[in-house]
Amino acid sequence: MSMLASLTAAREPGQGITPRRILLAWSTQVRVINALVLRETKTRYGNYKIGFLWALIEPLVGVSVFVAIFANLRNDSPGGMPLVPFMLVGFICYGLFRDPWSCMQGAISNSRNLLTFPQVTTFDVILARGILEVLVTFFVLGFLLYMAYLAGFEVRCERPLGVLLVCLLLCILGLGMGFLFASLEPLIPSIKQFGTQVLGRPLYFGSGLFFSADSLPAPIREYLLYNPVLHMIELVRGEFFHEFETAYGSWFYASMWSFTTLAVGLLTHQAVHKRAIVKK
Amino acid sequence: MIRLRNVCKRYRTQAGYRVVLDDVNLEFPVGKSVGILGLNGAGKSTLIRIIGDAEPPDSGQVLCDQRVSWPLGYAGGFQGNLTARENARFVARIYGESTRYVEEFTREFSELGEYFDEPLKSYSAGMQGRFAFSVSLACNFEYYLVDEALETGDARYREKFRMAFEERRANASVILVSHNEQTIRRNCDMAAILHEGSLVLYEDLKEALHEYNILQNQPR
């Protein structure tokens, strides 16, 4: 009975939003997103023999390259922080912002088939990708830091709660960008290239993944500090390393950007999803 | 009951707007299977997608108080690089059915054998149709929305599906879109014709087919 009701509730004759309808809509949505996340896991990782390992290899390669470069370039560690954990935290936390964004942006075009099911909405397919990506990146962050610890590097988290907070800000920013780009992508396909080339590249090099803000010359720093991701990376290192307190990362600036971006992303989705669903 | 109320839908093409549904009002009678006839490009598939809530109308409403299937076509709704088993589990999850039951029923009924664990994209059109129908039968809908695809598969399987469907005729009906008279005659109690944005229901199947014939032979 409850099943029958939840499927038809939205289109039953009669007006108004009743508590029963809200509850049924909610339970349907949870069920659908759960199914989508499981399905997404299968399609993303199920086809590779090495599965989840792939998610570990990518940041590991990035970190290794930069560690190799910097270890030869200079001997002192940045801001007194141990080099390898410094890089790991920077690269993987950046992933918390970039990965949901890059993975969500094709969600509508790549899930057209699934939208045939009435209870599967564009919101669900976009969010499911974001959720999976956030979960995987958090897992990677924990796993690689633990590996680094086992390998004998100095890994000591000073304020775990603060680290978690900054990580959430990064995720929210990534989800906001994801919703924005995923909603527009069916209407303006080239926005994907714009995202990765015009925005992604400078962000990758200008967000402090392999440097800290106080190591920059003042005029450059002034401009780079408009970048909210640099603020967040600074903040997360300040919370993580007891050797380091950030002089530049601003909680206020970072959270303003995160929540505004999320709002803009969701509003854009609301405004265009009906058109995006039709576009072939 | 499924009722269309003031449903409008148009598409933008190079040559301007093309109206597919122009203020359509229609109630599908309870327990009757209805065929929808229309010339190529009249908007039959769009109509069934709107009834199945796979696409929103520009304006107007679709009201219903029964379990309606998703629009069944060849592979619509499924993920080609996943196996039939995985697709069946996905459907079970989003409809809140037992994954084990749906999986088992589909495997038995579709007779796909070892192909059941192969990716869907390796299937022939007939096999995909077989899979789609088997999954939908596992879900016990009250309305089945079918887009042309009833004619897939070999004759024996078609017969098996028809039998299964006859069995639940008492509490399941079909809304079937086709430009094939034979298909409609075999599966439906009445028919509606979609032409130039308006949808007209004929209680008498013969009359509908007669009208449709006139329409088909009209010079365009």
Side-chain angles (χ1 to χ4, degrees):
Chain A
M1 168 58 205
S2 77
M3 273 323 307
L4 193 157
S6 71
L7 266 174
T8 58
R11 300 204 293 169
E12 255 172 31
Q15 297 292 315
I17 299 169
T18 61
R20 176 171 158 273
R21 281 190 177 186
I22 295 175
L23 199 69
L24 292 173
W26 169 252
S27 75
T28 304
Q29 186 140 38
V30 169
R31 221 169 48 225
V32 167
I33 291 179
N34 171 49
L36 283 169
V37 171
L38 288 173
R39 190 204 67 99
E40 200 65 42
T41 314
K42 262 268 161 39
T43 43
R44 289 279 301 288
Y45 301 107
N47 293 339
Y48 300 106
K49 281 275 186 309
I50 47 171
F52 271 107
L53 269 182
W54 191 245
L56 294 173
I57 291 168
E58 197 257 296
L60 215 49
V61 171
V63 170
S64 314
V65 169
F66 280 93
V67 166
I69 294 174
F70 279 82
N72 287 318
L73 219 61
R74 55 173 193 209
N75 282 324
D76 59 322
S77 48
M81 293 172 269
L83 186 63
V84 171
F86 170 85
M87 293 284 183
L88 272 181
V89 168
F91 273 84
I92 305 170
C93 286
Y94 183 69
L96 283 173
F97 152 72
R98 180 201 52 195
D99 294 347
W101 172 24
S102 71
C103 190
M104 286 157 89
Q105 58 185 353
I108 295 183
S109 325
N110 295 336
S111 313
R112 285 222 187 276
N113 265 341
L114 302 175
L115 296 172
T116 309
F117 294 104
Q119 64 273 61
V120 180
T121 64
T122 51
F123 180 84
D124 299 334
V125 296
I126 300 172
L127 185 61
R129 284 187 171 211
I131 289 176
L132 176 64
E133 213 50 44
V134 166
L135 290 179
V136 169
T137 316
F138 263 114
F139 170 77
V140 169
L141 177 65
F143 185 82
L144 286 186
L145 283 175
Y146 186 60
M147 286 291 119
Y149 169 75
L150 289 186
F153 294 105
E154 194 189 334
V155 181
R156 261 205 323 274
C157 185
E158 194 193 4
R159 290 187 292 270
L161 213 58
V163 172
L164 190 64
L165 263 178
V166 188
C167 286
L168 288 180
L169 284 183
L170 281 158
C171 293
I172 291 170
L173 187 65
L175 291 173
M177 291 298 270
F179 267 103
L180 179 66
F181 277 69
S183 317
L184 294 177
E185 195 264 344
L187 306 171
I188 321 165
S190 57
I191 200 166
K192 239 173 164 171
Q193 275 74 30
F194 174 79
T196 45
Q197 307 295 333
V198 182
L199 284 180
R201 287 277 165 80
L203 280 174
Y204 187 80
F205 288 105
S207 294
L209 307 194
F210 43 85
F211 58 83
S212 67
D214 51 13
S215 69
L216 293 170
I220 297 180
R221 182 170 57 224
E222 194 185 318
Y223 282 108
L224 280 188
L225 278 173
Y226 282 105
N227 171 10
V229 187
L230 176 59
H231 282 260
M232 294 182 207
I233 300 288
E234 281 286 302
L235 285 170
V236 79
R237 288 207 180 109
E239 296 298 309
F240 194 95
F241 298 100
H242 68 94
E243 300 92 339
F244 179 71
E245 293 301 329
T246 174
Y248 301 102
S250 151
W251 283 96
F252 177 74
Y253 190 73
S255 14
M256 279 304 285
W257 265 94
S258 284
F259 290 109
T260 309
T261 308
L262 184 64
V264 169
L266 290 175
L267 287 173
T268 310
H269 171 262
Q270 190 59 30
V272 305
H273 76 277
K274 276 193 180 178
R275 262 182 296 159
I277 203 176
V278 178
K279 200 85 178 185
K280 287 283 154 9
Chain B
M1 179 269 307
I2 295 180
R3 190 162 69 207
L4 306 181
R5 201 154 71 185
N6 305 105
V7 173
C8 296
K9 183 79 185 181
R10 58 183 191 174
Y11 285 112
R12 193 156 64 190
T13 62
Q14 296 295 340
Y17 284 104
R18 228 182 67 76
V19 177
V20 177
L21 301 173
D22 184 10
D23 197 26
V24 168
N25 284 285
L26 192 75
E27 183 165 336
F28 290 91
V30 180
K32 298 284 185 197
S33 290
V34 180
I36 293 169
L37 290 156
L39 302 174
N40 253 331
K44 303 186 294 288
S45 295
T46 305
L47 175 64
I48 208 146
R49 284 174 59 80
I50 288 176
I51 295 174
D53 202 16
E55 205 174 293
D58 291 338
S59 63
Q61 280 177 300
V62 179
L63 300 172
C64 67
D65 54 8
Q66 276 160 311
R67 279 182 68 134
V68 180
S69 81
W70 69 93
L72 297 170
Y74 288 103
F78 300 116
Q79 191 77 17
N81 48 8
L82 293 185
T83 66
R85 186 186 302 276
E86 287 159 351
N87 272 298
R89 295 171 71 95
F90 176 75
V91 172
R93 285 198 191 102
I94 61 173
Y95 281 94
E97 302 277 350
S98 142
T99 47
R100 177 175 300 181
Y101 170 76
V102 172
E103 203 181 312
E104 275 310 297
F105 182 97
T106 311
R107 198 173 58 78
E108 294 268 309
F109 196 87
S110 63
E111 297 176 21
L112 287 166
E114 66 238 45
Y115 280 100
F116 198 62
D117 285 307
E118 291 294 318
L120 227 55
K121 64 183 172 204
S122 66
Y123 288 19
S124 69
M127 285 160 72
Q128 288 186 0
R130 242 152 80 185
F131 171 69
F133 283 115
S134 307
V135 183
S136 67
L137 280 180
C139 289
N140 271 316
F141 292 110
E142 282 151 320
Y143 267 105
Y144 286 83
L145 306 178
V146 183
D147 190 350
E148 304 264 7
L150 260 187
E151 296 299 295
T152 59
D154 52 39
R156 193 186 59 80
Y157 187 80
R158 223 154 53 210
E159 202 43 43
K160 180 178 174 181
F161 178 74
R162 261 164 48 77
M163 294 283 283
F165 204 79
E166 277 310 318
E167 257 174 51
R168 50 182 84 179
R169 203 51 178 277
N171 41 22
S173 23
V174 84
I175 294 181
L176 170 65
V177 151
S178 180
H179 51 229
N180 184 342
E181 283 186 39
Q182 284 295 327
T183 314
I184 301 267
R185 194 174 292 145
R186 265 207 302 268
N187 297 288
C188 302
D189 305 315
M190 51 180 70
I193 297 180
L194 179 65
H195 186 59
E196 286 176 352
S198 68
L199 183 65
V200 183
L201 182 68
Y202 297 85
E203 302 254 324
D204 181 15
L205 191 59
K206 278 205 191 94
E207 192 188 340
L209 292 173
H210 178 68
E211 288 293 326
Y212 183 59
N213 264 324
I214 295 174
L215 198 66
Q216 269 184 316
N217 296 328
Q218 255 173 23
R220 270 190 290 172

